[in-house]
Amino acid sequence: MSTAARLLILLGTISFATACDDKGVEEDSGGLSGDDGGGDDGGGDDGGGDDGGGDDGGDTGDTDEKIKGQVTGTVTVEVFETVDGVYTQVDIDERYDGVYPFGKVFVGAYQDPLGTGQERYRGIDTIDAPTFGADPFVLDVGVPEVGPVHIYAAVDADRNAFIDSDDPIGVWPVQVSIEDGSLTEDVNIRVVVNLDLLNRGGGSGCCGDGTSEGCTITVTGEVDVTRGFNGTGAAMILGTNGSGPHYADWFETTSTSDDSATADYAITMCHNAGSVQLVGAIDDNHNDLIDPDDTHGAYVTAPDEDGNPVHVETADLTDHTIQIPLFGPDGEPGDYGVQLVPFVRLSGTLSSALGTFDDLGAGTTVHIAGMKYRPNTSFGTSMFESGAYDYQSFDWAELAGQSEVAYELIVPANVELYLWAYADVDIDGTVNEAGEPVGSAPALEGAVTTGSGSMTIDIELDVP
């Protein structure tokens, strides 16, 4: 990609802006090479069937993934926003004429073999031309031994060709066991795009007064790509916590005679940014996205020597070489990609203000759900399937004689939801009826904003 085609990725809106704290794409830059829409069949082949892939830190793939299975399902994208103080689903036909306006959908299956939060991707797929329908995906998953994987989907909502830390994520709330030759079907994931977050917009420029002239610096250097990786990539500025990318520059590598490749990059960013991480990635799964499965590296002060964090003041930073991939002293891939947290756990206890669950009446069932919206009327429990990120139900055998029960929900990180519990006393499959006990998280309307960490919330059922 030519220097003229470089992208400046900035915080804030999805508009084609260049203010230093807006997250946009210069309109004439074109993003990654290739067709923006991808294939016509919804479930793209780009990256699909990757039997090892990479991970946040530039994993080059495992060679011992002898157990291979397949996971199929769909991804459905929904849109919500706050209207008159109420988190409400957007009528996509009215707002968008039913035409999908966002970017590609990345679907990944990963493990955390060391328990450190550093994902090892075992298979990916990319939906190149998503719709507002249930778009199919196929994951060809390879693992070193029989075991479970986590599965999630992320939407490139701002169409910047990055799966970044602000992009909406949907998770499959249970792990999927992979056995040799296994096929797991009907993994149907829903991703909610929150327009309140997507359209934050605005910004004060790099100078703090809406302007940027004289308040930017450039970070320049060479990208040294080893181990035969070649193609399109990006140099990126991340926060020290792995958030971002806040700024980026695309590059196209040139092969060298020793099975390596090189490129130059130049990132323009606000001055006085303090400590940041300077990293890079190659789109080696060829899905026209920079995603967690791609091969990553970082700024080095010498070969194999991580030079991060970088401190940004008012002077340009030159000769900052990025090495891709970059491995740690133990030979394991470093953790240099955008830090995505696909899911968090909500857990705690459910109890009844009336006493034990026996006081609710024999046969009662209790349900707890992380709802996408707050139902204001009675509804059938079948609504949990589409209206909740995750839910858990307790039948009478689990409740009888108990004063409390423990629950655990798996929900996407960084979303707004409504945590409510319902007792179905008359056992008619309808909850939230007049006179039936309910309970919620303590915040107004039971609202919970998930972050990057798990939360403990105890809930007591009572009759309103």
Side-chain angles (χ1 to χ4, degrees), residues 41-108:
D41 58 355
D45 293 329
D46 294 341
D50 186 338
D51 291 335
D55 64 13
D56 295 5
D59 182 15
T60 58
D62 294 311
T63 59
D64 59 345
E65 293 183 346
K66 300 177 182 179
I67 306 300
K68 297 185 182 298
Q70 191 174 80
V71 180
T72 65
T74 62
V75 178
T76 302
V77 177
E78 301 173 343
V79 185
F80 278 70
E81 66 180 346
T82 301
V83 179
D84 297 329
V86 178
Y87 196 51
T88 306
Q89 187 166 8
V90 171
D91 185 329
I92 57 176
D93 291 323
E94 179 179 325
R95 180 70 60 87
Y96 302 111
D97 291 329
V99 179
Y100 180 87
F102 310 115
K104 297 185 179 187
V105 178
F106 171 84
V107 186

Side-chain angles (χ1 to χ4, degrees), residues 164-183:
D164 58 45
S165 57
D166 288 334
D167 280 328
I169 289 175
V171 299
W172 187 243
V174 295
Q175 295 188 75
V176 174
S177 180
I178 302 299
E179 300 179 5
D180 203 29
S182 64
L183 171 63

